[in-house]
Each structure stands twice: as structure tokens, then as C-alpha cells.
Amino acid sequence: MLDKSIIERFKNIVGEKNVETSSMSLHSYSYDATPGFRKTPDIVIAPHNTEEIAEIVKICNDHKIPLTPRGSGTNLSAGTTPLKGGVVLLFKLLNNILEIDDQNLTVTVQPGVVTKSLIEKVEAKGLLYPPDPSSMNISTIGGNINENSGGLRGLKYGVTRDYVLGLTIVLPNGDIIKTGGKLAKDVAGYDLTRLFVGSEGTLGIITEAILKLVPMPEYKKTMLATYEDIDDAAKTVSAIIENRIIPATLEFLDQPTVEVVEEYNQIGLPTDAKAILLIEQDGPESVVNKDIDKIAEICKELHAVTVSVAKNEQEATALTTARRSALSTIARLRPTTFLEDATVPRSQVAPMVKEINRIAEKYNVKICTFGHAGDGNLHPTVPTDVRDKEEYHRVEQAFAEIFEKAVELGGTITGEHGVGAMKAPFLKLKLGEEGVRALKNIKQSFDPNNIMNPGKMFFEDDEKGE
Amino acid sequence: MDTLVKERIQEDFQNRMDRDELENCMRCGFCLPVCPTYIQSGYDETQSPRGRIALMKGIVDGEIEPDEDIEQTLNECLGCRACEPACPAGVNYGQLLEEARDIFNQNKQHSLPERVIRKTVFEGLFPHPNRMENMTSLLTFYQRSGLQKVARNIGFMKLFPDTLATMEKVLPTTPTRKEMRSQSSYYVHKSQPKATVAFFKGCLMDTMFREVNKATIELLQKVGCDIAVPDTQNCCGALHGHSGEKEKAKELAKKNIAAFEQIGADYIITNAGGCGAFLHDYGHLLHDDPEWSERASHFSSKIKDITAILIDLDFHMMPLQMPEQVVTYQDSCHLRNVQKTFEEPRLLLESIDGFHYEEMNDAARCCGSAGIYNIVHSELSMKHLDYKMKQVKDTAATTIVTTNPGCLLQMKLGIEREGLSNKVRAVHIVELLIEAVDRRTSM
């Protein structure tokens, strides 16, 4: 419980109606999209600007009040769950696109802008903001930056990190700093911009961002290939790249996923196919046509059972339906859906999928795997029921082994969802003791009182003085 | 709310809420961008489907007390169910909402005036077709006797809240008692016979919107339907179901099922999106009643909107003509989100020569009518309507087409509020179709 006088001070900063303390509001901001994590905050505050945030942060720092920034709460690593109570900071009033700069090809935004609306606004000007996480209809750009979100276009265009040029940040002591700018080149000091992208709200609060835009590709083509053997599908992925073609999208669905998708949607997918690849290329029309022809050839050489290229927009949409409906179909199987993001080098996609299937059998849990084959970012997804404690335990064990396997194959425990509280116990797997210590030292120097999103990234048992 | 009431509500939540359905919400947030109250509230989680489900689950789990705040956010939901098609996990939000509202309502001590109104509306008026007729007759008398003119001239309506006063202006000219009673119970096809259907006439549609019902039957005859109109049918119960009067809704449902079972028609046709959706959900409404569950599901499986059967029977292939004009369509939320009928009305409109169909931005977003929402939550409702009218104006349409009486009245209200009554009209789709087909045959 917060002291009444502190609540009053918050109200003085942002106005009475932007401070919530009703049990209804507190309960409604106690979760995000991660199953199994929930904690009620003490107060929910919606500030209007950077200066108000700086004042709020100072109060929190003085009184050691935990503070969790929150966009739309689509987080899948419990990164926006206020695990230590305290303040939940909302960005719903900071949702303006401040400037689209045609000369420098940048867009300046506030963190509460919904990613899709940003994408639509810049596309209307013939420009592209490539990061397109599956949650983009609702996730905010601030959340995307804090988690360094990926998406379906990651292979060719990279992830959020590759598009953040500059940030305005409120540090945990209340200082306001600006990093980077509308610059292609800038080596003045440590690269704080990169440090804050993906920092999961543990180092400070991002209150403004300058993002890079690229020209809109003029043409796009979509195709689908099915395989009887996962290895053939994986070899296709490698062969495409070896042939010096980088598709815009290169997605993968395994057999359990295909079975489920087909059972519910009846879109004519071969359920005996062990794997499906969804491939898209964009760019100048002649290049796209040449690439797609070559890719189709490679698919056939590597024993694809069927290869179909969409003749028009409608057919393209029909093909992408399979990939897009993967999550929604799996979610219908059982009450709880765990969607993970174990990531390996793309040459290891086939071994990783096989390992996942072995682990599923070992722990007797259903795991459907789909994801971004082109960049090795897989989504092993488990339909389960958190109320079944015994099964839930087996699911946890299976995931622990999947993360171990991913790291063993040269991969990582999270490709695009972030560490949060969910993966905190596994961070050591990827970074080692020394690596975790290095990160903690950074955290300590920015946030000695540990007020910024505490309980995230670093595993509780490792924490000192909590 | 005193502690005893809270305890009773919590107990009812634990006994009655579908826990699997609550658990099915994976809190992904995909429902947020399509929720009108979430958007209108400036992105307040407590005003979203994900938030409301979390609150219901919180009560079941004993993590929060059921209080006035929660009751209010449940009541402020439009019940448009736009969240359902957007939900990856397929959560039946509408059913959860109805159950939760019913629990709050049944444990509530209403104020005396509210008790009187609720009793009049839910028990005294809607379940009794003859009383609906009487009520409409009064309105007809009011409109035709000159009383309406007098009331307007002396500014009598200024005594009422703005919305009601405007509503009074936009009510359609209602039929006389004689006209209402002139309905037959069987109509024969007027072209090659293709199907036998039963017609669900509704209560508002049967009285206030009699012209729409007449046009519906004529259209069905023209596409080759024999139409039975069982006279023992009743109000669908949607108003009751959505307002926390579930038991009364069940009674009405049983009467309707029994009335239509005797006919054995291929389809049961509706022309009001709201009623159609509620009839479509009878299977769920009576799912735990051993005597009725199967009969209810069978009944529900036969429900079809007039626009859907017209497309099935190729009405849109007929020559249809109207004067040159820009037309736009406002989806009935329930027709779209529950009955999944949204392509059909558009196909019909696009098939008329002379029409330039212009899709409005966010056509699928609720207009704010939502049963009696525009009366009980007048201020909020008008915010939704203002947004909607802006989208309408952007299309430059002179005709707004709807498929539900509530939406139709709300659109008329919007036109009046914007001062567009000389330029824009709102019509039910069947009125337009009958005009288009008649115009062609008369040419």
C-alpha cells in the first residue's frame, strides 16, 4: 500500500483522473499476455509527457517504489507484469506520431503509438517500417522497442533494433537524456540507444523515439511448399540463402501444427506433410519474379511435394492464412497456450525441430512448432491447462530442456519475446555466470535502487538485497 | 453494495460462471483494437473484453470483490461481440457477459422507479404482442391525431433528455391497429417455388416497423418462398437476456421454439440482426435444460437472415434499379459477429444498378444503439454515434442502409443530430430492395 501523501503527489503531477487506485483498475493491470504470472500493483498512472514521467520517477526513486512501464500488455515473457507491486505506468496518453521526415526518412513517435497505426501512416507516404510482430495490431512501439521485437519480415529487414536511431529516456534518477538522432553515423560515446533497445524497461523509461524508414518495395509475391521430410524443408531454407537470395519472409510450420490448422480450418493442407514453408519476396517486379522462380526450382530439387505460387493478391492471402491461423487454431485446443521463442542459427532449424518433437514425446506434452525459419526463430507452442498442476510441471520441464537444447545448438533462449520473468531462470544458460554479472553491473549503475521493472531479466535467487 | 450482497454475488459467480470459458481467455489482447468501449475510453483496460473477463475471473477466484465499479463496466459494454471473431482462442464473451450481468441484476435491490420500468418493459410489454400493438396504437394516435404537432409546438419534448427528444422525432410513422391486425399467417410464393420458410416477425418489427416486415414477406414471395408466420410466436427475449433477466428470456425462448416446431420449415427467417443473433443462441441459452437443449439447438440451426436467403436464392441476379446515388452500409453488430452475415448485404447493395456503394471506415464498429443502451447510457452512446456519423459523412453517402431496427433508429438519430435530414436518409435493407425491384418492374 502506498502512503496517501504519495498518491496525492502523483495526482498533482498527472491530474486526478489519470491516477487509478480502484480495486477494479488495479486488478485489470495485474497481468499481461503471459500465462501463469499475476501481481496487483498499488497504483496505475497515465502521464502526459516526458517531464511528468521524470517527476514520477524521482518520487519512486526517493521512496524505492517499484515501477513497471506498460503499453498494451501483449508481452509474452511477463515483462509488463508488476511483480513487485508499486506503480504501473501507462502510455495511453503518449500516443502521437510527432513527425514523418521525408528528407531523412525517419519517423518520430511517442511510445504509446500502436505499431500497426504507425505502419499504416508511413505506408500511406510510400514508406516502410519493416518490424511487424504478430501482435502489431495492438502492441505499442514503446513495447516493441523495450522488447526488441521481431516479426515476419525479420530475415530480410532485421528487427526493431535495426530501426531505432535515437531515443529520449528518463533515467531512474529522473534525468532526461537524448541518445542518437536522425543520423546514419554517430560514434559519440557508448551506444546507449542500442543498450536501451531490448532493455525491457529495467534501465529507464523511453519517452520518445526516432525510427528509420525505408522505401516501400514496389512488388510482392507469395508461395507455399510442402515437404514429407523436415530435413528437406530445412535444406531448402539453407539452399535459398546459399543461392544469394534473401526472401522477405520464410516461415515454417511442422506437422502437428499443420494437422491442427487443417482440422479446424479445412483449407486443403496435406496433413501428411511433415513441414510447410511459406515464402514471400518483395522488391522490383523483375527481381521478385526471378527470385520466386529460382526458389520454386530449389524447392522442387529438394523434394517438395507441392509448390504453389499465388497468382494474385487473393491467392497470396489464402496461402498466408495457414501461417497466420497457426496460433489461433492451437489456442482453441486447450485453455492455456504457451508460446515460446527458442532461436537457433538457421542451419540448425531441422535438428532443433526434431529435438522439440523428441522432448514433447519424453514429457508427454503436445508441442506444435511454427515460426520464422529464415532467421531460426521458432515458436514451440504448447496447448495445456494451467489448472492441471501435474501436466503444467511437465510442460515446464519440457521448456527447460528446449532452452538448453537451443543454447547447445548455438542458439538462444529468446529470439523476440524478451527475458522478462518467464525466461529469467534461463538467462545464465545463454550468458554464463560472468555474462549475467556484467548485465547486473550495468543495471546497478543505472538503477541502484532497483526500482525499474524489478523481478525481470534476473532470476530472483540470484538477486541480492531484494 | 453491502457485504452480504457481495458475498451472494461471489457465490453465484462461483456456481454459475463457465470456468473453462474464463480460463480460455489467454489475455493476448487481440480483442482490444476491435472493442468500441476500449477505444472510446482512451484505451482503458477495464473497458475492454480482456479486462472484463479478468474481472469476472477475479470474482470467481475470490481475488476481488464484486463492487459497483465492476457492475458498471459490465453494464457499459455494448455487447456488440466484435471481440468474438477477433479472439484466437474463440472465447464466447457474449455468453460470459450475459451470465455476469444476470448475477449482478438478480442480487440487486433496484430503486422503485427502476423496478416499475423494468417490470413494465420486461414483463408487461415485450412478452405480450397485443400490448405491443396497444402501445404502438398509442404512438400512432399521438402521431396522427395532431398531438405530436401540438407537443412539438409547445416544446413539451424539451422536458425530456436530448436523446429521447430527438428519438421522438425520428420514430417511423407507425401503422394503425387495423393495419397491424391485417397480417395473414401464410403467404404463397410468387415465382418458381424454391423453399418453405417460417418468418420470425419480432415485436418492434411487427409493430413500429410494420412496413419492413411487409417488404420482407414480399421479397421472400418474389424469390419463390412459401412463408408461414406462426401466430403463437413471441418476443425473442434479447432485451431480457442482455439486461440480466435471463429466466424470462428462457421462458420466451421455449414459447418460440414450440411455436416454430409445428411448422417444419427449411429456415426460420429474421430481418433484425439483434433478434436473429439471440435466436441463433437459443441452443446455448437452454443448453443445461434436458428437455429443451436439443430442441433449442435444432431451432437455432434453422435461423437465417433475410439477406442470406436472398443471396442463396439468387435475388441479386434479378434486374434491380434505383436512381443514381451513393450508398453506405452500417453493419448490425450481431448480424455480423454472431450470425457471420456481412458479405450478403453488401452483395445485394452492389447488385443494384444506379447505386454507387461506398464502404465506410469502421463499418463494423457498433453505432452505439445496442438494445436500450442509447437510452440508459445516453451520453456514451452519443459518443459512439458521433464517431459513426463522421465516417458516414466521409463517404458522401445519401443513403445509409441497416439490417436491424435499433441501428436504423440510431442512424436516423445521427442524421437528425448532424442536421442532415434534408440530405441523408436511413433505411432497412429490405425497404430499399423492394423499392429497387418495384422500380424495375414498373419501368
Side-chain angles (χ1 to χ4, degrees), chain A residues 329-368:
Chain A
T329 335
I330 297 167
R332 276 160 205 260
L333 292 182
R334 301 278 302 277
T336 315
T337 311
F338 280 94
L339 175 69
E340 279 303 343
D341 62 334
T343 302
V344 290
R346 63 177 155 251
S347 61
Q348 300 296 325
V349 166
M352 188 66 217
V353 172
K354 283 181 186 166
E355 280 299 327
I356 292 171
N357 291 341
R358 179 189 63 76
I359 292 166
E361 213 166 295
K362 176 177 170 188
Y363 293 101
N364 187 27
V365 291
K366 187 175 184 76
I367 305 183
C368 302

Short mmCIF file of all heavy atoms in Angstrom, two decimals, chain A residues 329-368:
data_model
loop_
_atom_site.label_atom_id
_atom_site.label_comp_id
_atom_site.label_asym_id
_atom_site.label_seq_id
_atom_site.Cartn_x
_atom_site.Cartn_y
_atom_site.Cartn_z
N THR A 329 -5.49 -21.36 -34.05
CA THR A 329 -6.01 -22.72 -34.02
C THR A 329 -5.47 -23.47 -32.81
O THR A 329 -6.24 -24.15 -32.12
CB THR A 329 -5.59 -23.49 -35.29
OG1 THR A 329 -5.36 -22.57 -36.32
CG2 THR A 329 -6.63 -24.44 -35.69
N ILE A 330 -4.20 -23.34 -32.55
CA ILE A 330 -3.62 -24.05 -31.41
C ILE A 330 -4.28 -23.56 -30.12
O ILE A 330 -4.56 -24.34 -29.21
CB ILE A 330 -2.08 -23.87 -31.36
CG1 ILE A 330 -1.45 -24.48 -32.62
CG2 ILE A 330 -1.49 -24.54 -30.12
CD1 ILE A 330 0.00 -24.10 -32.83
N ALA A 331 -4.58 -22.26 -30.08
CA ALA A 331 -5.19 -21.69 -28.88
C ALA A 331 -6.56 -22.28 -28.58
O ALA A 331 -7.04 -22.23 -27.45
CB ALA A 331 -5.30 -20.17 -29.04
N ARG A 332 -7.21 -22.82 -29.61
CA ARG A 332 -8.54 -23.39 -29.39
C ARG A 332 -8.51 -24.80 -28.81
O ARG A 332 -9.53 -25.31 -28.35
CB ARG A 332 -9.32 -23.40 -30.71
CG ARG A 332 -10.00 -22.09 -30.99
CD ARG A 332 -10.34 -21.91 -32.44
NE ARG A 332 -10.43 -20.48 -32.74
CZ ARG A 332 -11.57 -19.81 -32.82
NH1 ARG A 332 -12.70 -20.43 -32.63
NH2 ARG A 332 -11.56 -18.52 -33.06
N LEU A 333 -7.33 -25.43 -28.86
CA LEU A 333 -7.24 -26.83 -28.42
C LEU A 333 -7.46 -26.98 -26.92
O LEU A 333 -8.21 -27.84 -26.47
CB LEU A 333 -5.88 -27.42 -28.77
CG LEU A 333 -5.57 -27.62 -30.26
CD1 LEU A 333 -4.20 -28.24 -30.41
CD2 LEU A 333 -6.63 -28.48 -30.92
N ARG A 334 -6.78 -26.17 -26.13
CA ARG A 334 -6.82 -26.28 -24.67
C ARG A 334 -6.89 -24.87 -24.09
O ARG A 334 -6.60 -23.90 -24.77
CB ARG A 334 -5.55 -26.99 -24.16
CG ARG A 334 -5.30 -28.40 -24.72
CD ARG A 334 -6.09 -29.49 -23.99
NE ARG A 334 -5.82 -29.55 -22.56
CZ ARG A 334 -4.79 -30.18 -22.01
NH1 ARG A 334 -3.89 -30.77 -22.78
NH2 ARG A 334 -4.64 -30.21 -20.71
N PRO A 335 -7.26 -24.75 -22.81
CA PRO A 335 -7.46 -23.41 -22.23
C PRO A 335 -6.20 -22.53 -22.21
O PRO A 335 -6.27 -21.34 -22.46
CB PRO A 335 -7.90 -23.70 -20.80
CG PRO A 335 -8.41 -25.09 -20.81
CD PRO A 335 -7.64 -25.81 -21.87
N THR A 336 -5.03 -23.13 -21.90
CA THR A 336 -3.83 -22.31 -21.77
C THR A 336 -2.89 -22.54 -22.94
O THR A 336 -2.71 -23.68 -23.36
CB THR A 336 -3.08 -22.67 -20.46
OG1 THR A 336 -4.03 -22.77 -19.42
CG2 THR A 336 -2.04 -21.62 -20.12
N THR A 337 -2.32 -21.47 -23.47
CA THR A 337 -1.39 -21.60 -24.59
C THR A 337 -0.06 -20.95 -24.24
O THR A 337 0.00 -19.76 -23.97
CB THR A 337 -1.98 -20.91 -25.84
OG1 THR A 337 -3.32 -21.34 -26.02
CG2 THR A 337 -1.17 -21.24 -27.07
N PHE A 338 0.98 -21.76 -24.21
CA PHE A 338 2.34 -21.23 -24.01
C PHE A 338 3.02 -21.10 -25.36
O PHE A 338 3.17 -22.09 -26.07
CB PHE A 338 3.16 -22.17 -23.12
CG PHE A 338 2.88 -22.02 -21.67
CD1 PHE A 338 1.96 -22.84 -21.03
CD2 PHE A 338 3.52 -21.04 -20.92
CE1 PHE A 338 1.69 -22.69 -19.68
CE2 PHE A 338 3.25 -20.89 -19.57
CZ PHE A 338 2.33 -21.72 -18.95
N LEU A 339 3.41 -19.89 -25.70
CA LEU A 339 4.05 -19.65 -26.99
C LEU A 339 5.47 -19.19 -26.71
O LEU A 339 5.68 -18.11 -26.19
CB LEU A 339 3.27 -18.57 -27.74
CG LEU A 339 3.83 -18.07 -29.06
CD1 LEU A 339 3.72 -19.16 -30.12
CD2 LEU A 339 3.06 -16.84 -29.53
N GLU A 340 6.45 -20.05 -27.04
CA GLU A 340 7.83 -19.70 -26.75
C GLU A 340 8.59 -19.29 -28.00
O GLU A 340 8.06 -19.37 -29.10
CB GLU A 340 8.52 -20.87 -26.02
CG GLU A 340 8.20 -20.88 -24.53
CD GLU A 340 8.60 -19.57 -23.84
OE1 GLU A 340 9.38 -18.79 -24.42
OE2 GLU A 340 8.11 -19.32 -22.73
N ASP A 341 9.82 -18.85 -27.83
CA ASP A 341 10.56 -18.32 -28.98
C ASP A 341 12.03 -18.72 -28.97
O ASP A 341 12.92 -17.90 -29.17
CB ASP A 341 10.40 -16.80 -29.07
CG ASP A 341 10.98 -16.08 -27.85
OD1 ASP A 341 11.04 -16.70 -26.77
OD2 ASP A 341 11.38 -14.91 -27.99
N ALA A 342 12.25 -20.02 -28.74
CA ALA A 342 13.61 -20.55 -28.80
C ALA A 342 14.18 -20.31 -30.20
O ALA A 342 13.48 -20.49 -31.19
CB ALA A 342 13.60 -22.04 -28.50
N THR A 343 15.44 -19.88 -30.27
CA THR A 343 16.01 -19.48 -31.57
C THR A 343 17.38 -20.12 -31.78
O THR A 343 18.19 -20.17 -30.85
CB THR A 343 16.12 -17.95 -31.61
OG1 THR A 343 14.81 -17.42 -31.41
CG2 THR A 343 16.65 -17.46 -32.95
N VAL A 344 17.58 -20.61 -33.01
CA VAL A 344 18.86 -21.25 -33.34
C VAL A 344 19.39 -20.66 -34.65
O VAL A 344 18.63 -20.04 -35.40
CB VAL A 344 18.68 -22.78 -33.50
CG1 VAL A 344 18.40 -23.44 -32.16
CG2 VAL A 344 17.59 -23.11 -34.51
N PRO A 345 20.69 -20.87 -34.94
CA PRO A 345 21.16 -20.47 -36.26
C PRO A 345 20.33 -21.21 -37.31
O PRO A 345 19.93 -22.35 -37.06
CB PRO A 345 22.61 -20.96 -36.28
CG PRO A 345 23.00 -21.13 -34.86
CD PRO A 345 21.75 -21.49 -34.13
N ARG A 346 20.06 -20.57 -38.46
CA ARG A 346 19.08 -21.21 -39.36
C ARG A 346 19.53 -22.57 -39.86
O ARG A 346 18.70 -23.41 -40.18
CB ARG A 346 18.69 -20.28 -40.50
CG ARG A 346 19.79 -19.90 -41.42
CD ARG A 346 19.27 -19.04 -42.55
NE ARG A 346 20.35 -18.23 -43.06
CZ ARG A 346 20.46 -16.92 -42.90
NH1 ARG A 346 19.53 -16.26 -42.26
NH2 ARG A 346 21.48 -16.27 -43.37
N SER A 347 20.83 -22.83 -39.87
CA SER A 347 21.30 -24.16 -40.30
C SER A 347 20.87 -25.24 -39.30
O SER A 347 20.91 -26.42 -39.60
CB SER A 347 22.82 -24.14 -40.43
OG SER A 347 23.40 -23.84 -39.17
N GLN A 348 20.47 -24.82 -38.10
CA GLN A 348 20.11 -25.80 -37.06
C GLN A 348 18.60 -25.96 -36.89
O GLN A 348 18.14 -26.62 -35.95
CB GLN A 348 20.72 -25.38 -35.72
CG GLN A 348 22.24 -25.28 -35.72
CD GLN A 348 22.91 -26.61 -35.98
OE1 GLN A 348 22.43 -27.66 -35.55
NE2 GLN A 348 24.01 -26.59 -36.72
N VAL A 349 17.82 -25.38 -37.82
CA VAL A 349 16.36 -25.45 -37.66
C VAL A 349 15.85 -26.89 -37.63
O VAL A 349 15.08 -27.28 -36.75
CB VAL A 349 15.64 -24.63 -38.77
CG1 VAL A 349 14.15 -24.97 -38.81
CG2 VAL A 349 15.80 -23.13 -38.51
N ALA A 350 16.32 -27.71 -38.58
CA ALA A 350 15.82 -29.09 -38.63
C ALA A 350 16.20 -29.88 -37.37
O ALA A 350 15.33 -30.49 -36.74
CB ALA A 350 16.32 -29.79 -39.89
N PRO A 351 17.50 -29.86 -36.96
CA PRO A 351 17.83 -30.57 -35.71
C PRO A 351 17.00 -30.06 -34.52
O PRO A 351 16.56 -30.85 -33.68
CB PRO A 351 19.32 -30.25 -35.51
CG PRO A 351 19.84 -29.88 -36.85
CD PRO A 351 18.70 -29.31 -37.62
N MET A 352 16.78 -28.75 -34.46
CA MET A 352 16.03 -28.19 -33.33
C MET A 352 14.59 -28.69 -33.33
O MET A 352 14.06 -29.10 -32.29
CB MET A 352 16.06 -26.65 -33.39
CG MET A 352 15.49 -25.97 -32.16
SD MET A 352 16.48 -26.28 -30.67
CE MET A 352 15.23 -26.44 -29.41
N VAL A 353 13.96 -28.69 -34.51
CA VAL A 353 12.56 -29.16 -34.58
C VAL A 353 12.50 -30.63 -34.16
O VAL A 353 11.60 -31.04 -33.41
CB VAL A 353 11.98 -28.96 -36.00
CG1 VAL A 353 10.61 -29.62 -36.11
CG2 VAL A 353 11.88 -27.48 -36.32
N LYS A 354 13.46 -31.40 -34.60
CA LYS A 354 13.47 -32.82 -34.21
C LYS A 354 13.65 -32.98 -32.71
O LYS A 354 13.01 -33.83 -32.08
CB LYS A 354 14.58 -33.56 -34.96
CG LYS A 354 14.21 -33.83 -36.40
CD LYS A 354 15.33 -34.59 -37.10
CE LYS A 354 15.01 -34.74 -38.57
NZ LYS A 354 16.20 -35.16 -39.31
N GLU A 355 14.53 -32.17 -32.15
CA GLU A 355 14.73 -32.20 -30.69
C GLU A 355 13.44 -31.84 -29.96
O GLU A 355 13.06 -32.47 -28.98
CB GLU A 355 15.84 -31.21 -30.28
CG GLU A 355 17.25 -31.74 -30.48
CD GLU A 355 17.54 -32.99 -29.66
OE1 GLU A 355 16.99 -33.13 -28.54
OE2 GLU A 355 18.30 -33.86 -30.16
N ILE A 356 12.75 -30.82 -30.46
CA ILE A 356 11.49 -30.40 -29.83
C ILE A 356 10.50 -31.56 -29.84
O ILE A 356 9.84 -31.85 -28.84
CB ILE A 356 10.90 -29.15 -30.54
CG1 ILE A 356 11.80 -27.93 -30.29
CG2 ILE A 356 9.48 -28.87 -30.05
CD1 ILE A 356 11.44 -26.70 -31.10
N ASN A 357 10.42 -32.25 -31.00
CA ASN A 357 9.48 -33.37 -31.09
C ASN A 357 9.87 -34.50 -30.13
O ASN A 357 9.01 -35.14 -29.52
CB ASN A 357 9.40 -33.89 -32.52
CG ASN A 357 8.71 -32.88 -33.44
OD1 ASN A 357 8.00 -31.99 -32.96
ND2 ASN A 357 8.95 -32.99 -34.73
N ARG A 358 11.19 -34.72 -29.98
CA ARG A 358 11.65 -35.76 -29.05
C ARG A 358 11.28 -35.37 -27.62
O ARG A 358 10.76 -36.18 -26.84
CB ARG A 358 13.18 -35.93 -29.18
CG ARG A 358 13.76 -36.98 -28.23
CD ARG A 358 15.27 -36.97 -28.22
NE ARG A 358 15.86 -35.72 -27.73
CZ ARG A 358 15.92 -35.36 -26.45
NH1 ARG A 358 15.42 -36.14 -25.52
NH2 ARG A 358 16.46 -34.20 -26.10
N ILE A 359 11.50 -34.09 -27.29
CA ILE A 359 11.21 -33.61 -25.94
C ILE A 359 9.71 -33.70 -25.64
O ILE A 359 9.29 -34.09 -24.55
CB ILE A 359 11.74 -32.16 -25.77
CG1 ILE A 359 13.28 -32.16 -25.80
CG2 ILE A 359 11.23 -31.53 -24.47
CD1 ILE A 359 13.92 -30.79 -25.98
N ALA A 360 8.91 -33.40 -26.66
CA ALA A 360 7.44 -33.49 -26.50
C ALA A 360 7.05 -34.91 -26.11
O ALA A 360 6.24 -35.13 -25.21
CB ALA A 360 6.75 -33.08 -27.79
N GLU A 361 7.67 -35.86 -26.79
CA GLU A 361 7.36 -37.26 -26.52
C GLU A 361 7.84 -37.65 -25.11
O GLU A 361 7.11 -38.28 -24.36
CB GLU A 361 8.04 -38.13 -27.57
CG GLU A 361 7.26 -39.38 -27.92
CD GLU A 361 7.81 -40.02 -29.19
OE1 GLU A 361 7.69 -39.36 -30.27
OE2 GLU A 361 8.35 -41.12 -29.09
N LYS A 362 9.06 -37.20 -24.78
CA LYS A 362 9.67 -37.55 -23.50
C LYS A 362 8.78 -37.09 -22.34
O LYS A 362 8.58 -37.82 -21.38
CB LYS A 362 11.05 -36.91 -23.40
CG LYS A 362 11.75 -37.12 -22.06
CD LYS A 362 13.15 -36.52 -22.09
CE LYS A 362 13.77 -36.51 -20.70
NZ LYS A 362 15.03 -35.75 -20.67
N TYR A 363 8.27 -35.89 -22.42
CA TYR A 363 7.47 -35.36 -21.30
C TYR A 363 5.97 -35.51 -21.53
O TYR A 363 5.16 -35.00 -20.75
CB TYR A 363 7.82 -33.89 -21.06
CG TYR A 363 9.23 -33.73 -20.55
CD1 TYR A 363 10.26 -33.34 -21.40
CD2 TYR A 363 9.54 -34.01 -19.21
CE1 TYR A 363 11.56 -33.22 -20.95
CE2 TYR A 363 10.84 -33.89 -18.74
CZ TYR A 363 11.84 -33.50 -19.62
OH TYR A 363 13.13 -33.39 -19.15
N ASN A 364 5.62 -36.20 -22.61
CA ASN A 364 4.22 -36.46 -22.91
C ASN A 364 3.39 -35.17 -22.92
O ASN A 364 2.38 -35.05 -22.24
CB ASN A 364 3.65 -37.47 -21.90
CG ASN A 364 2.24 -37.89 -22.27
OD1 ASN A 364 1.87 -37.85 -23.45
ND2 ASN A 364 1.44 -38.26 -21.26
N VAL A 365 3.87 -34.19 -23.69
CA VAL A 365 3.09 -32.97 -23.89
C VAL A 365 2.97 -32.72 -25.40
O VAL A 365 3.82 -33.17 -26.17
CB VAL A 365 3.74 -31.73 -23.22
CG1 VAL A 365 3.68 -31.83 -21.72
CG2 VAL A 365 5.17 -31.53 -23.69
N LYS A 366 1.90 -32.03 -25.80
CA LYS A 366 1.74 -31.73 -27.22
C LYS A 366 2.49 -30.43 -27.52
O LYS A 366 2.28 -29.42 -26.85
CB LYS A 366 0.25 -31.56 -27.56
CG LYS A 366 0.00 -31.40 -29.05
CD LYS A 366 -1.49 -31.35 -29.36
CE LYS A 366 -1.75 -31.29 -30.86
NZ LYS A 366 -1.55 -32.58 -31.54
N ILE A 367 3.39 -30.47 -28.49
CA ILE A 367 4.08 -29.25 -28.89
C ILE A 367 3.93 -29.05 -30.40
O ILE A 367 4.29 -29.94 -31.18
CB ILE A 367 5.58 -29.28 -28.53
CG1 ILE A 367 5.77 -29.57 -27.03
CG2 ILE A 367 6.24 -27.94 -28.89
CD1 ILE A 367 7.22 -29.54 -26.57
N CYS A 368 3.36 -27.93 -30.77
CA CYS A 368 3.28 -27.57 -32.18
C CYS A 368 4.36 -26.51 -32.43
O CYS A 368 4.45 -25.56 -31.66
CB CYS A 368 1.92 -26.98 -32.52
SG CYS A 368 0.53 -28.08 -32.15
#
